[in-house]
Amino acid sequence: MAMTEQQNMMRRLQVQSFVLTDVQLYLDTHPDDPKALECYRKYRHLREQTMADYVNRFGPINSMQVESDSRWTWVDTPWPWEGTV
Amino acid sequence: MWVYEKKLQYPINITKPDARSAQIIITQYGGPDGELGASMRYLSQRYTMPYKEPAAILSDIGTEELAHLEMVSTIVHQLTKNLSLEEIEDSGFAPYFVDHTVGIWPQAASGVPFSSSTFQSAGDPVTDLHEDMAAEQKARKTYDNILRLIDNPEVIDPIRFLREREIVHFQRFGEALRKVQDHLNEKNFYAINPAFDLNPHQGK
């Protein structure tokens, strides 16, 4: 089954978020490692861009990202267990 | 505090119901070596961790475990949501079904409910971090056994991801233990409990 554009963008967000999760744990025990800090900075930037694009096109991933003045769109975006994105 | 993201840590999209697999995998939600216990263990232990790097590791791995229990719950949900009554009866799922229908409830594969008696928060950093390293190995073992029992690639893929994380967490807890030991008497790591005896109100 071909992936939708939303699924593709969600995969990118998951990959970039995962890199950050992993490097954050590494930095917890190696807080002075310059290469890990560089990786953290790079992926934080990439993730910020992907997150902004995703939210702009497909709606909020967390409840601080609701932009509509007419509807609380937090309730409309899919729940992760539904397997749709 | 925590802020929820409507997003799984790793994608899960299971298209074929399988009650037998669900009954096995639910143990990594509420079983003795599961993700709920893992998260509660680390998030409970962190308050008495006197050193900053190990306290960060306990907080951050405890948080990642919350994402893992969401993944395990999602796997169980997707394996059970479209079950027919016939499949429920034939697969041995009826004893769970009669109490929970196809709701998600933290229990071991054996049916034993989740219990905090499966983990410790000892208030002693050396003790706690050794328990944490053992916990990651116990969870890795359970994922290995799950992989021995299932054959659906849509389930195997996220289970392999979760198994891999246990190994990374084991490594990080080992590093955190070394950080704690760096603060202790190298001839006798057990001379004091740094979470208690260094406090002027508590130490002897």
Side-chain angles (χ1 to χ4, degrees):
Chain A
M1 204 167 62
M3 296 228 296
T4 64
E5 210 166 330
Q6 184 174 5
Q7 286 170 325
N8 269 321
M9 203 179 267
M10 176 56 89
R11 291 301 162 274
R12 201 181 320 148
L13 191 58
Q14 284 167 322
V15 167
Q16 291 166 352
S17 301
F18 174 66
V19 171
L20 280 167
T21 297
D22 202 37
V23 80
Q24 283 164 357
L25 293 187
Y26 177 85
L27 280 163
D28 283 350
T29 52
H30 306 79
D32 301 305
D33 187 314
K35 278 174 86 172
L37 281 166
E38 159 91 36
C39 176
Y40 165 75
R41 265 193 302 273
K42 178 180 162 189
Y43 275 88
R44 193 181 69 178
H45 179 66
L46 289 171
R47 183 185 190 272
E48 279 166 5
Q49 286 180 321
T50 309
M51 179 66 89
D53 285 354
Y54 184 97
V55 170
N56 187 38
R57 294 193 54 187
F58 304 112
I61 283 180
N62 83 52
S63 57
M64 300 292 271
Q65 297 168 330
V66 173
E67 296 298 341
S68 171
D69 295 325
S70 57
R71 180 165 169 85
W72 179 240
T73 53
W74 171 244
V75 297
D76 297 328
T77 46
W79 293 101
W81 53 85
E82 292 171 4
T84 51
V85 290
Chain B
M1 71 162 292
W2 280 264
V3 177
Y4 184 67
E5 285 191 344
K6 268 186 168 180
K7 141 185 170 303
L8 291 175
Q9 189 186 21
Y10 187 90
I12 300 170
N13 195 352
I14 299 162
T15 51
K16 194 170 144 280
D18 179 356
R20 193 192 66 92
S21 296
Q23 280 174 285
I24 293 165
I25 291 165
I26 202 168
T27 215
Q28 276 306 83
Y29 180 34
D33 305 322
E35 302 288 357
L36 179 57
S39 185
M40 294 306 106
R41 173 188 293 113
Y42 310 144
L43 294 178
S44 298
Q45 290 175 354
R46 65 194 176 130
Y47 301 95
T48 48
M49 177 56 71
Y51 307 117
K52 56 192 177 183
E53 296 95 339
I57 271 294
L58 288 168
S59 294
D60 292 344
I61 295 181
T63 299
E64 187 180 346
E65 306 294 11
L66 291 172
H68 293 175
L69 69 90
E70 182 181 46
M71 282 182 63
V72 174
S73 308
T74 294
I75 292 171
V76 174
H77 170 64
Q78 293 185 1
L79 284 170
T80 53
K81 66 177 174 179
N82 293 325
L83 281 175
S84 68
L85 255 184
E86 194 186 359
E87 286 167 317
I88 287 165
E89 285 168 2
D90 294 346
S91 61
F93 193 64
Y96 183 93
F97 175 84
V98 72
D99 287 332
H100 309 292
T101 327
V102 290
I104 300 295
W105 188 69
Q107 66 161 50
S110 61
V112 173
F114 173 73
S115 168
S116 56
S117 63
T118 57
F119 67 84
Q120 242 299 24
S121 178
D124 180 297
V126 172
T127 306
D128 281 343
L129 286 166
H130 276 95
E131 159 147 343
D132 301 343
M133 292 174 72
E136 296 295 333
Q137 290 299 336
K138 289 190 286 181
R140 190 270 308 154
K141 163 278 302 172
T142 307
Y143 285 123
D144 276 336
N145 286 339
I146 289 170
L147 289 167
R148 290 183 176 101
L149 293 167
I150 60 171
D151 53 13
N152 179 353
E154 292 173 342
V155 182
I156 288 172
D157 187 46
I159 294 290
R160 278 195 181 140
F161 170 86
L162 291 165
R163 176 191 177 277
E164 196 72 22
R165 296 309 291 158
E166 309 300 339
I167 294 164
V168 173
H169 292 174
F170 176 81
Q171 172 70 21
R172 298 282 96 86
F173 280 128
E175 292 158 359
L177 177 61
R178 206 180 57 215
K179 295 265 179 197
V180 168
Q181 288 173 333
D182 284 345
H183 290 272
L184 302 176
N185 179 345
E186 65 179 29
K187 291 186 178 144
N188 180 7
F189 290 145
Y190 315 107
I192 58 151
N193 171 0
F196 192 82
D197 296 314
L198 298 180
N199 181 332
H201 299 288
Q202 296 169 335
K204 278 208 265 188

